[in-house]
Amino acid sequence: MQHNEPLNDRNVSEQSPYFYVDIEAYPTTGWDKFKQVIKRSFKGELFVGLWVVMREMIKFDIHTVQYPKEKLPIGPRYRAVHKLLRLWESGYERCIGCGLCEKICISDCIRMDTKIDENSRKEVTEYSINLGRCIFCGYCAEVCPELAIVHGQRYENGSEQRAHFVIKDDMLTPLDWLTSGQQAEFPGFGAITPNESVTKTPLAY
Amino acid sequence: MIEFTINNQPVTALKGETILQVARKTGFYIPTMCYIEKTKPCASCRLCVVEADSVDGLILSCQTPPTQGLAVTIDSDRLQQERTNIMRLYDVNHPLECGVCDKSGACDLQNKTLEFGISAQHFSAKDQNRKIEHWGLINYDPSLCILCEKCVHVCNEIIGDDAITLQFGGYKSAVVPKNSEKLDCTFCGECIAVCPVGALVSSQFQYSANAWELTQIPATCAHCSAGCSLTYEVKHTSNSNGAKPKIYRVTNNFEVATLCGAGRFGFDFDIQASKDNELFEKAVASFKNAKAIRFSSLITNEEAMILQRLKAKMGIKLFNEEARGYQSFMSAYSSVSGKSAFSGSLDAIAQSDGIIVLGGRVSADNPAVRYAMTTAARHNGARVVYMHPLEDALLQNVITQMVRYEAGSEEGVVAMLAQTLLKNCDISDETKGFLDSLDDGYLCAESNVGDEEFDRIAASLRRAKRKTLIIGSDVLHHKRAANIARLCGLIEKYSDYSLVIIPQNVNTVGVSLICDLDQDEKISDVVGYNAKGDFIVGSLGEYDMALPSLNQQEGTFVSLNYQLLSTNVAVAFEGYCLNDITTSLGVKAENTIDYTVQLPTEKGFKAVEFDALGNFYGPLGEDNRGYQLETMDCTIDGVLEEIEDLPEFNGTVVYYSNPVNQFNGYTARTSQLEHDTSLRGSAQFAAAARLSGGERIQIEGANTVRTFILDESLKGTIALVPTFDTSFGGLPETYRFEKIKLIKVGS
Ligand code: SF4
Ligand code: SF4
Ligand code: SF4
Ligand code: SF4
Ligand code: SF4
Ligand code: FES
């Protein structure tokens, strides 16, 4: 995903497409202000706007995205509702329960519970993010040593209450998604850029 | 005083101090990995090396005392190189699991690895397959262990269980249970505390929280009269559990203080209730109608003060037989010694080189006393004479002489002891007359302690310089307690022994100083506060209205050291507290801790606000907890009474004593501590009582059914009966030996 666009020259000069806009001086006296109000009210600009809408409607060439039936594609680095990923090889959860995301979170909205499992390993029993508080800063994803918590693309999180949560079951990649190759890698800070040559969990590279 | 220099700065050492101790005292930093202040040097890490002008090689500052005029250098390129190499070796094959390790963030290995900038492994060794051990409350991961030996040293020198040891095998070395497959010890958890890495961890806590997420709340242990300093570590639980705060673990300042298993693992005794106004009105009404309030010594000074004010205002009586026993014992003691408090303390015990213990099962009653005795035995080679009708297997490594007397004969034994210890002392004619008039023959015969045993005590303690007499709680409720107390006062007054009397509960001393207690009468209209009554409030047993537990209250206790110690709220209690009830009865205060400053100064308290009390140890181990109560002068008007005929305890006799780590209703409801409620007796007892192991029995008059367990480690004809599980718990308010009738239940 290389971008080779040339940089725009944003300096104002003869060559550049940028130029100063001629702005009329603001009225200062009461009388001038009154004249401006009268002029703006009766010039009929309102009808210009209505005409534009009317014209486009008749053309039947509408560019409006039919949300929610239709959604715009989102940049891979967009930071929306989190996901918890699995290891590609074994299907185990990547999260080791280190608690760094919980600690770094500046809105203090991650809560997790861990315990020792029967194989003497640390097991994450609960993991929740309060989306009502999350500011989608991405720190949690950045600090995670296991590339386990990442930001997904789901940005709809309307709710009846201010506090609402995503829990581990919602975020964790379902096993059948993993086997059918639907688990996407997070191309964010510290991660490698996924391409065809990546066949293992990026941690191993 | 030894004068020498560290990095060319002149410093002075006291006799017995090491270079490291002087360096720390004077603000020089020498890195260490295996050093722990309260034990002898482990000397295993070699990180503390320093250079001295008189020697070529490097010397270990943790175990070397300075000599006059020595010039010590503590930082040089050579030392830095040496220390860096040590740290490189420590890091070889150390698992890269800080991400999950309990110790991460508070790990000495992490800290020192960063301090010395070890970022790569320069040596290699074939890794071993090491098995993680599960030892009940403790898990041990040998691959994290750095073999510093701290755990072994505390277990042996301070605790006295001597349950673990290092198995040497080069790269395969590990900590193993001593002489057994699985760890069999009293589970004090002190080894967990001192472990600098995550090798020894609490099995229940492991992997449940990180060190940096826990809020530390300094408090005082509520389980026994030692009042050990501890820190409740609290965190919220997950959202699905309502995100309520919970105590995750208890830690302590292990460099200078020690905790027993009850303090460390018995912390989850908090309760919850909401504000129920109807119940509250009912409680207020019962207080209003009450003729008396019966309460236990599991109470803060402030609440004891509230009850005392209530008594003054409403003319009701206050019942607490356990504290009253201690109170009258102490007043009889004061009438001879002329002082309100005894001279000894836990520190004095630990520094003694001669100790006599009489009338208590210290290892279970007050583990802090046991640890102080172990320390004295290991560090000062103290001679320890243990006098009791029952042997205690836990003390066998510590005691040098066991003296068994007949149950009930304490008065005679103490009298004979006084005669022995005061033999060549400068005593008054009256006292001399009293001691001379003792009927040695009768007392020795009836108490079953021969003359020669007293001679041996005298001989073995003759050379000791710092001596302590420890009196257990058996005698506090003895029929002849007052005379025993006077005899103890006598010994302390005229001999060079310091005296320690072990109160039963966390605040027995505080209650005995604050409250005017009345003799308990079996009347009606009694409100019980953690005690029996017609209307019961509190947090123990079956209560009508819940009041906060002792880990949910702020307030103060008085420990057996006569030190005022503060405690804090670990988890908040949503319901009402005693102060709310009494405020509506006219004994008004905004907060319970408003009473701290009002504690009676004529009893030795100081007018200090609660918020001005410290609760921590300084960097060099200075005790900054609360304050020491003043010892008051008392009138000397006590007259020794003649020794009464010694009672006989024949037939089925039991001794009320709790298993180690169990004390009261609080410890009884904690989740980690073992709850052994069985009655234990020797084969001899079983034969006499016609019982066999596993039988279900009931003591006549009590309603608890117990299982009889034949215990090989016990001897003699007296069985042990626990009391922690009987509704309010604690030890009985009567003499601890009792002749009983056993009823077999079912079959
Ligand atoms: S994105 Fe930021 S605010 Fe949201 S959970 Fe992660 S660290 Fe917390
Ligand atoms: S930082 Fe990553 S591995 Fe650690 S707890 Fe959070 S999600 Fe799990
Ligand atoms: S013992 Fe210390 S260095 Fe070793 S894994 Fe645990 S935190 Fe890391
Ligand atoms: S828990 Fe206490 S007694 Fe048991 S091994 Fe550890 S230090 Fe020793
Ligand atoms: S278990 Fe801990 S305290 Fe014991 S030797 Fe190993 S590292 Fe040291
Ligand atoms: S501190 Fe001296 S050898 Fe470890």
Side-chain angles (χ1 to χ4, degrees), chain B residues 32-35 43-48 60 62:
Chain B
T32 60
M33 199 72 163
C34 72
Y35 186 73
S44 65
C45 75
R46 296 191 49 83
L47 213 59
C48 67
L60 296 183
C62 69

Side-chain angles (χ1 to χ4, degrees), chain B residues 546-744:
Chain B
L547 297 184
S549 285
L550 277 182
N551 57 359
Q552 300 174 289
Q553 291 186 39
E554 358 178 56
T556 57
F557 303 128
V558 183
S559 72
L560 73 74
N561 290 341
Y562 277 73
Q563 189 177 6
L564 181 112
L565 305 167
S566 58
T567 191
N568 286 303
V569 179
V571 278
F573 182 75
E574 310 287 344
Y576 289 106
C577 67
L578 183 68
N579 187 37
D580 298 329
I581 301 178
T582 50
T583 296
S584 50
L585 290 170
V587 175
K588 287 191 183 132
E590 192 182 342
N591 295 307
T592 309
I593 51 163
D594 293 351
Y595 289 100
T596 312
V597 69
Q598 302 171 24
L599 293 171
T601 43
E602 68 279 8
K603 293 293 170 74
F605 288 97
K606 296 181 184 165
V608 181
E609 292 277 355
F610 180 80
D611 291 334
L613 297 169
N615 196 359
F616 62 97
Y617 290 98
L620 297 169
E622 315 90 308
D623 190 338
N624 291 317
R625 304 177 64 206
Y627 59 77
Q628 191 68 40
L629 264 68
E630 208 128 347
T631 305
M632 304 315 242
D633 289 332
C634 303
T635 359
I636 303 183
D637 54 3
V639 185
L640 288 165
E641 287 168 19
E642 218 176 295
I643 310 298
E644 246 186 26
D645 283 354
L646 300 185
E648 278 185 42
F649 280 75
N650 294 326
T652 319
V653 180
V654 293
Y655 179 55
Y656 293 102
S657 172
N658 289 316
V660 176
N661 290 346
Q662 281 295 353
F663 294 96
N664 48 44
Y666 286 147
T667 54
R669 67 162 176 256
T670 58
S671 60
Q672 292 188 76
L673 300 177
E674 204 179 324
H675 301 91
D676 180 5
T677 59
S678 51
L679 185 147
R680 293 175 170 267
S682 64
Q684 213 179 336
F685 175 85
R690 284 191 223 95
L691 282 174
S692 48
E695 266 182 291
R696 310 271 297 151
I697 45 168
Q698 194 171 352
I699 296 175
E700 198 181 56
N703 41 19
T704 324
V705 177
R706 299 184 185 280
T707 312
F708 173 68
I709 289 191
L710 222 161
D711 192 332
E712 301 291 337
S713 71
L714 293 177
K715 286 183 205 151
T717 54
I718 301 173
L720 294 175
V721 182
T723 57
F724 70 93
D725 56 330
T726 47
S727 119
F728 300 103
L731 290 169
E733 297 169 343
T734 50
Y735 185 54
R736 285 172 70 181
F737 288 93
E738 197 182 10
K739 183 172 158 27
I740 48 129
K741 238 182 111 183
L742 285 179
I743 309 160
K744 293 193 191 185

Side-chain angles (χ1 to χ4, degrees), chain A residues 96-100 102-103 108-117 119-123 126 128-129 165, chain B residues 98-102 132 134 139 203-204 206-210 212-213 235-241 243 248:
Chain A
I96 55 168
C98 69
L100 291 181
E102 191 181 17
K103 178 70 188 165
D108 200 10
C109 62
I110 302 184
R111 286 270 163 99
M112 55 194 299
D113 257 5
T114 56
K115 68 165 212 240
I116 186 167
D117 73 3
N119 300 318
S120 292
R121 297 178 70 92
K122 196 169 189 171
E123 184 189 327
E126 278 186 40
S128 70
I129 301 181
F165 299 84
Chain B
C98 300
V100 295
C101 186
D102 277 1
I132 296 175
H134 298 277
N139 285 347
S203 53
Q204 188 187 288
Q206 189 173 17
Y207 293 164
S208 66
N210 290 309
W212 63 78
E213 299 171 293
K235 201 189 88 168
H236 53 76
T237 49
S238 59
N239 287 319
S240 59
N241 292 323
Y248 273 70

Side-chain angles (χ1 to χ4, degrees), chain B residues 158-161 186 362-363 366-374 394-395:
Chain B
I158 310 289
I159 308 301
D161 270 35
T186 53
V362 281
S363 59
N366 198 310
V369 172
R370 174 192 170 207
Y371 301 156
M373 283 163 56
T374 312
L394 284 174
L395 293 177

